[in-house]
Amino acid sequence: MASIELQSVSIEFPVYNVNARSFKKDFLRLATGGTVAETTKQHVVVNALSNINLSLNHGDQVGLIGHNGAGKSTLLRLLAKIYEPTHGRMQAEGHISPMLSLSHGIEAEFTGYENIILRGTLLGLSRKEIAEQIKEIADLTGLGDYLAMPLRTYSSGMIVRLSFAISASIKPDILLIDEIFGAGDANFMEKAREKMVSLLDQSSIVVMANHSDDLIREFCNKAIVLDSGKVKYIGPVDTAFDIYYGR
Amino acid sequence: MSLESAINIPIDSEQSVPKTAITINTPSKLAYQDIKDGLSKWRIWMLLAYQDIKLRYRRSVLGPFWITLSMAITVYSMGYLYGHLFHTSLQTYFPFLVAGMLAWALISTQVTELTDAFIAAEGLIKQLKLPYSLYIHRVATRNIIIFFHNVLVIIPILLIFHESVKINSNTLLLIPSLLIVYINSIIYGLILAMIGARYRDIPQIIKSLIQVAFFLTPVMWNPSVLPPNDRYLVLLNPFYAFVELLRAPLTGLAPTLTVYMMTATVTAIGAAVAFKMFRHYRARIVYWL
């Protein structure tokens, strides 16, 4: 049974600009000590998430609502275990599948089929699982013979189709989705929506960030309003939107 | 020297190293887990390493055999030129140089490319949770595959200079030698990749230092040209030990005990430093990218 437990989790990003990142600064700090050390030691720290308490269990389909920079993507990366909490603790049980970006593990010089194998392997599929699913994935993309062509000949919509189809072939306990829709024509969106519904039904916990309110209303039974890295509200979707829009 | 000082410098974010209070997952355990997972996900890094090479030579007629060909052009012309410049007998110098260059090509690309290992994998690291050690294996394996392409250039040498170089049971020692080089690539790769990700000047510094190391290490010249009192300089050079580890079996000799002792020491020190650093900074790596 999948579960996610966050206890007063914070994430602080050190932001190094080109200078602060260099070895010279640290060397000078050592060599000069004292006063210079005081000034150069301060680099900008962004509190991307602060003091998040969250407990998600089987059956939770959660929508993340918030402005740009509110911490939606950071929270998803935290849940995907890409970022580790700088403070607090987090525990997650279950196989996690992040669909945070559709472009990772995509190689422009390789053909569609080669990319299915590459990305499938990265997402943890075995050779056998890929062989079993490759036809299904190929059908879902609807790209036909184009799959034997290198990706650099694809349009951006076609790349979205391909990577969505591969990611959707994973059956995770915890599914994390960042705003990945956008490109892709109406015909594909319809297919993708069907696939999403079956994917959501199979997953134990779903967390999605999306700017489209309709998608969240349709797919989620819970929503989290994030505001500058803090959880403003957790609860039913409608109330969450009311709070977000200040009604 | 520069590496040691980089390690000792108090990194400003040290205070905010995650104090994951989870009872079972101490930093040591997480670091150990990462290394273990990295090994168990060998299918991924083998594929990535293979794809890297395939990608580099896609659409070229010779494909990966460009690696072999360009190596052949370099070492054969160098062997001929320096053999005459140094007035040595080609019979002994040519095989020595070719084997040494093969060893050096592997060691130097490991050092320079591993420093970039995390920087180059930024996109993946930020989108997928995979063990950090996996990216080190990817680069190290890629360079071993390239070595196997390069090593073909020794075959004509073995035929032409069959009087001075022989294929014998010592040639088989190449396998344990490569294993030692691989293990050290992982150990020092972790150290270099972390420093490289945190301090972006380091990859540049390493690239120029490795050039200096090439001239300081007996690859083009034989250590016997040094006066006996100065030979310790060569014996203390860790690069020499690793070059010799590969060069000796390639020319049908067994590496000396000194070479094995030196590489064992380097491995032990590296493993301790790498684990200590990795335990401390593993969770920070993603924030440095």
Side-chain angles (χ1 to χ4, degrees):
Chain A
M1 190 70 65
S3 69
I4 299 173
E5 187 79 37
L6 299 186
Q7 285 178 11
S8 53
V9 168
S10 298
I11 285 194
E12 286 163 6
F13 274 99
V15 178
Y16 304 106
N17 61 28
V18 184
N19 283 329
R21 202 192 273 249
S22 92
F23 183 58
K24 186 179 76 184
K25 277 276 169 70
D26 274 333
F27 180 74
L28 284 178
R29 187 187 303 163
L30 260 196
T32 51
T35 49
V36 181
E38 285 304 308
T39 48
T40 49
K41 201 165 184 168
Q42 290 168 358
H43 58 252
V44 184
V45 173
V46 176
N47 286 314
L49 291 176
S50 51
N51 203 20
I52 306 273
N53 290 295
L54 196 61
S55 168
L56 300 178
N57 293 301
H58 177 75
D60 283 342
Q61 301 189 330
V62 186
L64 299 181
I65 307 169
H67 301 285
N68 291 336
K72 301 190 293 288
S73 297
T74 310
L75 182 57
L76 284 171
R77 281 183 180 172
L78 173 77
L79 297 178
K81 298 184 177 174
I82 293 163
Y83 291 149
E84 290 179 31
T86 29
H87 301 288
R89 51 171 266 180
M90 160 176 160
Q91 254 173 334
E93 272 166 47
H95 180 244
I96 301 171
S97 173
M99 287 169 68
L100 303 184
S101 144
L102 286 180
S103 58
H104 69 84
I106 290 287
E107 238 8 291
E109 278 296 324
F110 290 149
T111 66
Y113 283 119
E114 283 174 314
N115 270 295
I116 292 177
I117 295 169
L118 177 62
R119 196 177 157 97
T121 309
L122 281 175
L123 292 173
L125 291 180
S126 70
R127 199 179 286 262
K128 197 166 149 260
E129 285 170 316
I130 294 174
E132 281 166 7
Q133 295 194 23
I134 200 157
K135 205 185 162 295
E136 193 188 325
I137 296 172
D139 284 348
L140 181 61
T141 62
L143 291 173
D145 291 343
Y146 257 101
L147 284 174
M149 302 269 280
L151 247 69
R152 65 191 146 82
T153 62
Y154 285 30
S155 70
S156 53
M158 288 163 82
I159 292 177
V160 171
R161 279 168 172 241
L162 179 70
S163 29
F164 175 79
I166 307 168
S167 299
S169 67
I170 313 278
K171 292 179 179 58
D173 304 320
I174 300 171
L175 181 65
L176 307 168
I177 311 167
D178 209 342
E179 299 166 55
I180 48 173
F181 294 103
D185 52 34
N187 182 17
F188 175 70
M189 286 305 285
E190 201 42 56
K191 254 172 136 179
R193 180 176 289 255
E194 277 170 33
K195 184 75 192 173
M196 277 305 287
V197 173
S198 78
L199 204 58
L200 295 179
D201 288 344
Q202 285 167 16
S203 310
S204 176
I205 296 178
V206 180
V207 182
M208 63 193 303
N210 206 294
H211 278 318
S212 154
D213 297 358
D214 293 339
L215 277 174
I216 289 181
R217 279 185 213 274
E218 185 183 342
F219 288 126
C220 299
N221 53 25
K222 237 183 191 180
I224 297 175
V225 182
L226 281 172
D227 189 22
S228 44
K230 294 190 180 73
V231 174
K232 213 169 156 191
Y233 176 77
I234 307 180
V237 178
D238 290 332
T239 328
F241 275 116
D242 287 347
I243 288 171
Y244 177 62
Y245 290 116
R247 284 191 288 250
Chain B
M1 183 56 217
S2 63
L3 295 185
E4 265 97 16
S5 38
I7 295 164
N8 291 332
I9 282 168
I11 290 174
D12 29 14
S13 46
E14 203 170 358
Q15 282 77 23
S16 50
V17 163
K19 293 170 185 67
T20 20
I22 304 173
T23 39
I24 26 168
N25 292 338
T26 60
S28 297
K29 203 150 193 171
L30 287 167
Y32 172 73
Q33 191 66 31
D34 186 293
I35 291 163
K36 211 177 106 197
D37 284 352
L39 281 172
S40 71
K41 291 192 194 297
W42 59 271
R43 257 169 37 85
I44 299 182
W45 44 263
M46 288 289 255
L47 181 74
L48 286 173
Y50 171 70
Q51 304 272 30
D52 282 343
I53 293 176
K54 211 165 135 192
L55 191 65
R56 212 180 285 181
Y57 298 97
R58 185 139 280 213
R59 292 165 74 188
S60 76
V61 181
L62 282 182
F65 286 96
W66 268 115
I67 305 173
T68 318
L69 191 64
S70 53
M71 191 60 169
I73 294 169
T74 317
V75 292
Y76 293 162
S77 50
M78 269 178 78
Y80 188 75
L81 175 68
Y82 285 100
H84 282 280
L85 282 179
F86 292 158
H87 300 294
T88 53
S89 98
L90 280 188
Q91 193 64 243
T92 51
Y93 181 73
F94 214 112
F96 171 85
L97 181 88
V98 172
M101 283 298 290
L102 288 176
W104 182 257
L106 174 63
I107 294 163
S108 63
T109 43
Q110 290 289 34
V111 171
T112 50
E113 290 188 6
L114 281 166
T115 315
D116 284 326
F118 290 148
I119 301 172
E122 178 178 350
L124 269 184
I125 291 176
K126 284 191 175 169
Q127 301 303 338
L128 265 188
K129 174 64 195 171
L130 289 172
Y132 288 105
S133 55
L134 183 144
Y135 303 102
I136 308 293
H137 283 290
R138 169 203 195 160
V139 176
T141 306
R142 175 172 79 209
N143 289 326
I144 294 282
I145 299 175
I146 290 176
F147 176 79
F148 281 120
H149 284 88
N150 278 338
V151 87
L152 297 175
V153 305
I154 199 104
I155 293 170
I157 306 291
L158 294 171
L159 297 175
I160 297 165
F161 301 102
H162 56 87
E163 278 161 33
S164 57
V165 273
K166 304 230 172 339
I167 299 185
N168 50 30
S169 55
N170 286 334
T171 314
L172 285 175
L173 288 173
L174 187 63
I175 294 161
S177 293
L178 279 174
L179 194 68
I180 297 172
V181 170
Y182 189 82
I183 293 169
N184 276 282
S185 303
I186 301 304
I187 290 171
Y188 285 91
L190 264 181
I191 300 175
L192 289 171
M194 277 191 283
I195 301 174
R198 175 64 182 80
Y199 299 99
R200 298 303 168 98
D201 303 63
I202 293 293
Q204 309 305 326
I205 296 174
I206 300 274
K207 274 174 201 129
S208 29
L209 287 183
I210 204 82
Q211 292 296 328
V212 181
F214 174 66
F215 292 108
L216 292 179
T217 308
V219 176
M220 288 199 303
W221 48 276
N222 199 303
S224 60
V225 301
L226 287 178
N229 285 341
D230 291 339
R231 296 230 175 113
Y232 72 94
L233 285 175
V234 167
L235 294 176
L236 286 177
N237 177 350
F239 285 112
Y240 172 69
F242 282 99
V243 165
E244 199 49 36
L245 196 64
L246 296 167
R247 178 166 55 197
L250 282 174
T251 47
L253 304 168
T256 61
L257 188 62
T258 336
V259 165
Y260 281 124
M261 275 161 52
M262 184 69 187
T263 48
T265 315
V266 171
T267 313
I269 296 172
V273 174
F275 192 76
K276 205 170 148 60
M277 279 182 69
F278 193 52
R279 184 184 66 192
H280 206 76
Y281 297 116
R282 184 193 51 82
R284 307 295 309 163
I285 295 171
V286 67
Y287 298 109
W288 292 338
L289 292 171

